[in-house]
Amino acid sequence: MKAAFVRAPFEFMVKDVHLPKLSSHDVLIKVKSCGICGTDLHIARTQAKEWEPFGHEISGIVEGIGSDVDNVQVGDKVVVESGSFCGKCDNCRNGRVDLCINNIPNIFTRAKNEALPMGFAEKIIVHNQSVVPFDGISFEEACLVEPLGVAYDLVHTTGIDLGDNVLIVGLGTIGILAAQITKLMGAKKVIGANPYRKSKFSVSRKLGVDEIIPTDKISINSYKFSEGIDKALVTAPPSVIPEVMKVMNYGGIIGYIGIDYSEKKLITLDANEFHFRKLQLRASYAVPALYFPKCLELIENGVVKVKPLITHRFSLKDIAEIMKETENNGEVIKAVMINK
């Protein structure tokens, strides 16, 4: 079978690999779809010093199971959690699986430790705890459950309430999905902020964003907000946080998931302003991956729409071309691999 590998900066290789025999808790999956994530782009830019497998937004069909697997059967359609919770640590036993720091099983660490392929491949092996069955939606829709879970965690962490005016900074996949969930939670108005991109502005408008600030033409704190911002969801790099603070209402909450690995990861803010205006900054970090059943239900019921976000579809052999396209073309929202 074939699998894709990456080495920084932006070198790719598709080669034949052999999978090992399944262990007792393993599941063999024929990969049907896998989406390109910002993490994949980061790995391709700088992180992969040697050839590494990649891809973690995965849906497929179960082709084989180990002797102790009892949650799925051969033929089931499944999505894959990139990282789960151990169920054994104090946080897990106290009911806070979201705070599990062991993050086991994890397809990233297992792929590295055992030289296994990841999502950009024809087949993969994962622990049965990482698979979640689904039905009623397409494979390409199902592979967006992983980023939808990230968006859900961001909205949940920020605490969107009925009647909130919400600012979403960064209208990529996570931002647009978060906008839809925010509307479902009863937000009064959703305002997006992003450099002008025709595809992102068009899809955002169709999926619930009421106003959009083209940040390449006007700064966020120069925009005339009619009622101010109660909650902000930041999916952009941390450098925007001080600017977002300035447009928050008294007692406003900023939820944040953006990452920067350069010196721009450091920000300076006025702590007195933060204090006297009773602002809050909350970190959303969707590890372990959670909420897959809920997110599958949201897609299946049609209340969250993911297909409009898929702007590019490709085959495994074209992985190098589409990764470079996703990196360089701001009109790409979500590119999804389709395996026949």
Side-chain angles (χ1 to χ4, degrees):
M1 53 151 280
K2 296 186 180 300
F5 296 82
V6 61
R7 182 172 65 184
F10 270 79
E11 297 180 51
F12 303 92
M13 171 176 60
V14 177
K15 67 175 184 177
D16 289 315
V17 298
H18 296 281
L19 294 178
K21 182 180 178 181
L22 299 182
S23 66
S24 61
H25 287 282
D26 277 344
V27 178
L28 174 66
I29 300 171
K30 176 179 174 60
V31 178
K32 298 294 289 183
S33 286
C34 185
I36 292 177
C37 171
T39 299
D40 300 316
L41 298 174
H42 168 66
I43 291 171
R45 286 187 209 109
T46 58
Q47 186 170 309
K49 305 304 181 183
E50 304 294 335
W51 290 110
E52 294 182 12
F54 63 115
H56 61 278
E57 299 177 353
I58 306 162
S59 66
I61 300 174
V62 175
E63 283 201 343
I65 59 175
S67 58
D68 293 328
V69 174
D70 58 6
N71 58 322
V72 292
Q73 298 178 345
V74 172
D76 284 353
K77 300 176 182 178
V78 294
V79 289
V80 178
E81 292 179 346
S82 52
S84 190
F85 51 88
C86 72
K88 300 176 182 178
C89 68
D90 288 349
N91 284 330
C92 285
R93 293 188 180 279
N94 285 330
R96 291 300 305 271
V97 296
D98 58 308
L99 296 181
C100 177
I101 60 174
N102 293 324
N103 194 23
I104 299 170
N106 182 293
I107 65 171
F108 287 92
T109 54
R110 184 174 182 187
K112 182 177 181 180
N113 293 337
E114 301 181 28
L116 292 174
M118 290 179 61
F120 293 118
E122 293 178 334
K123 298 182 182 182
I124 57 171
I125 294 175
V126 299
H127 193 283
N128 72 300
Q129 185 177 325
S130 299
V131 298
V132 180
F134 74 92
D135 204 359
I137 61 176
S138 66
F139 288 108
E140 64 177 37
E141 289 175 300
C143 79
L144 267 75
V145 163
E146 198 276 344
L148 181 55
V150 175
Y152 184 88
D153 187 83
L154 175 60
V155 173
H156 177 72
T157 298
T158 309
I160 303 299
D161 288 323
L162 187 69
D164 278 341
N165 289 313
V166 179
L167 172 66
I168 298 180
V169 184
L171 294 176
T173 299
I174 304 301
I176 298 174
L177 290 172
Q180 295 183 70
I181 302 171
T182 296
K183 280 288 190 177
L184 291 173
M185 300 295 288
K188 179 180 179 182
K189 180 182 286 187
V190 175
I191 301 172
N194 200 88
Y196 178 76
R197 299 290 185 268
K198 182 178 179 180
S199 61
K200 293 178 180 179
F201 278 39
S202 175
V203 172
S204 297
R205 284 285 198 177
K206 292 176 182 177
L207 297 180
V209 178
D210 300 296
E211 302 174 19
I212 303 179
I213 305 168
T215 54
D216 49 345
K217 298 179 181 179
I218 180 173
S219 65
I220 292 173
N221 60 17
S222 297
Y223 189 76
K224 303 299 182 183
F225 295 95
S226 58
E227 299 178 82
I229 297 299
D230 302 304
K231 308 283 172 61
L233 309 176
V234 178
T235 71
S239 56
V240 305
I241 292 176
E243 185 177 3
V244 171
M245 279 180 51
K246 297 182 183 300
V247 304
M248 301 302 296
N249 289 334
Y250 187 82
I253 299 173
I254 302 170
Y256 167 66
I257 199 173
I259 300 171
D260 196 312
Y261 291 94
S262 71
E263 287 302 312
K264 293 181 179 180
K265 65 186 178 182
L266 304 175
I267 61 172
T268 300
L269 55 83
D270 185 333
N272 286 344
E273 178 188 21
F274 192 82
H275 172 80
F276 289 117
R277 291 178 58 214
K278 288 191 174 182
L279 300 179
Q280 295 183 42
L281 178 62
R282 299 179 180 178
S284 170
Y285 180 43
V287 176
L290 300 173
Y291 312 120
F292 275 41
K294 183 185 294 290
C295 291
L296 284 165
E297 183 179 5
L298 291 173
I299 298 173
E300 185 175 354
N301 291 340
V303 292
V304 170
K305 295 176 173 57
V306 297
K307 268 193 175 180
L309 279 69
I310 303 174
T311 52
H312 294 68
R313 295 169 176 83
F314 64 97
S315 60
L316 179 60
K317 64 181 179 61
D318 298 321
I319 186 67
E321 177 183 345
I322 194 64
M323 282 286 289
K324 293 172 183 176
E325 175 80 359
T326 304
E327 171 77 348
N328 298 317
N329 183 357
E331 296 293 345
V332 177
I333 301 177
K334 176 60 69 174
V336 172
M337 181 187 74
I338 308 294
N339 280 341
K340 295 181 179 179

